[in-house]
Structures are given as C-alpha cells and as structure tokens.
Amino acid sequence: MKHILTGALALAVSASALAENYIGATIGSSHIDIDCSLSTACESSDTGFKLYGGFDVSRHASVPGLALEVGYIDFGTARTSIGPITTRTIDVSALTFAAAMRVHFTPAFSGVGRLGLAYVDGKTSTPVSSKSSSNLKLLGGLGLEYSLNKQFKIVGAADFTTYDSGADTGSAHLISVGAQYGF
C-alpha cells in the first residue's frame, strides 16, 4: 500500500507542473454485494464518499478531454444479522488511479468516463473472527459535470469495482453527487 501511495504522490507532483489541476469530493449511496441467505436482516446499502484529485493532460497528450485522477473511495459497510445480533459486516474502501475522458455536450455541461485500477481493501468481521485482504482490481465509472463558473463544478458520479475480503467476494459501487474545484 505504501508503494502505491508513494507512486501516486510522485505522479501527482510531476503531473501538476504540466497540467491544470482539480480536486473534488462526492457523497452518496453505496452498495456492497453480500450473501444474505442465512440471515433475517440484510443491509447491503450504506452512505459512501469519494475524494479525488486530477490533472488535465489533454494538451500534453494530444487527446482532447484526457485527465489522470487519483482518489480514495469509501464504499461503506454491509451488514447481516439474525434478530438483533449482527452476524457479519463487510467494509470496502479503495485507493484509485484512473484515466478520465471528458466529452463536452455544451460549454457548461459534460460527461466523463473513467477506467483504471483500484487497490481495494475488503474486511469481513463476525463476532468470533475477522479476515481482510487488499487486491488490485479494475475500476470503472461514469459521471456528469455542470460548470457554474471556470473553476467550480457540480458533479454526479457512479463508480464500480469488485472486492475480495478473504472470506467474501462481490461488487461494490457508489452513486454520488458533489463538487469539483479547478485551479
């Protein structure tokens, strides 16, 4: 994990000298796949959030709308229970690196597609044990952006990946809204 963070930081520092930068944050509804077959109650949805920074490299890469992004996504916690007793929780989060491609529909309104890698941490906890695992997984996403002015945007995003906690596997996604600031 430290090597990925160090690499992401080095990329951020080197790219920031060559590109237009932006940061953003979103919050919304997350969903984690969980096996609910042996439980009386199942909560697979939670509140999640995403923090990210990006670098518009389209002028330097000769690809209009291309940006590189690093981020952190917390997909929240899924729970199963029998009666009032929680029998299992699954926590999923990810450090992400992706290429983002923007298409402008109007001068203020654009769409964005993301494809990259996520270093996904999955942790399954029961009353008697806990298992966790970190794996490199594929990340995909779609979004819409509306520019209020040259620097500030309202954004909506959908981010998708998979997880493996060592005890459970499945998909995780976050549907969120937030803001982005360019500098």
Side-chain angles (χ1 to χ4, degrees):
M1 178 82 161
K2 288 182 183 180
H3 296 294
I4 292 175
L5 286 173
T6 303
L9 182 61
L11 176 67
V13 170
S14 64
S16 66
L18 300 172
E20 295 179 24
N21 305 318
Y22 57 89
I23 56 172
T26 64
I27 189 168
S29 177
S30 65
H31 176 83
I32 300 170
D33 282 346
I34 186 170
D35 181 11
C36 300
S37 61
L38 298 176
S39 59
T40 58
C42 185
E43 296 176 28
S44 59
S45 296
D46 198 9
T47 300
F49 67 90
K50 175 172 73 168
L51 303 172
Y52 63 96
F55 315 101
D56 182 347
V57 294
S58 59
R59 285 188 232 151
H60 306 286
S62 300
V63 180
L66 179 64
L68 300 177
E69 294 183 350
V70 295
Y72 173 79
I73 302 174
D74 185 330
F75 290 98
T77 302
R79 294 173 180 80
T80 62
S81 58
I82 297 175
I85 300 169
T86 299
T87 57
R88 184 175 55 173
T89 62
I90 300 175
D91 297 299
V92 180
S93 62
L95 179 64
T96 64
F97 177 76
M101 181 64 77
R102 285 177 173 74
V103 176
H104 294 279
F105 304 126
T106 70
F109 187 61
S110 60
V112 60
R114 292 179 179 86
L115 184 61
L117 297 173
Y119 188 71
V120 182
D121 292 325
K123 180 180 179 183
T124 298
S125 300
T126 66
V128 294
S129 69
S130 178
K131 277 191 147 183
S132 65
S133 181
S134 298
N135 300 285
L136 200 58
K137 301 287 188 176
L138 190 61
L139 172 78
L142 296 171
L144 295 172
E145 301 174 342
Y146 182 76
S147 298
L148 298 175
N149 59 38
K150 186 174 173 128
Q151 294 164 315
F152 191 72
K153 295 180 180 181
I154 301 297
V155 297
D159 297 286
F160 307 92
T161 192
T162 58
Y163 75 93
D164 181 354
S165 69
D168 293 286
T169 61
S171 65
H173 65 264
L174 174 66
I175 309 296
S176 59
V177 295
Q180 180 176 299
Y181 180 77
F183 52 95

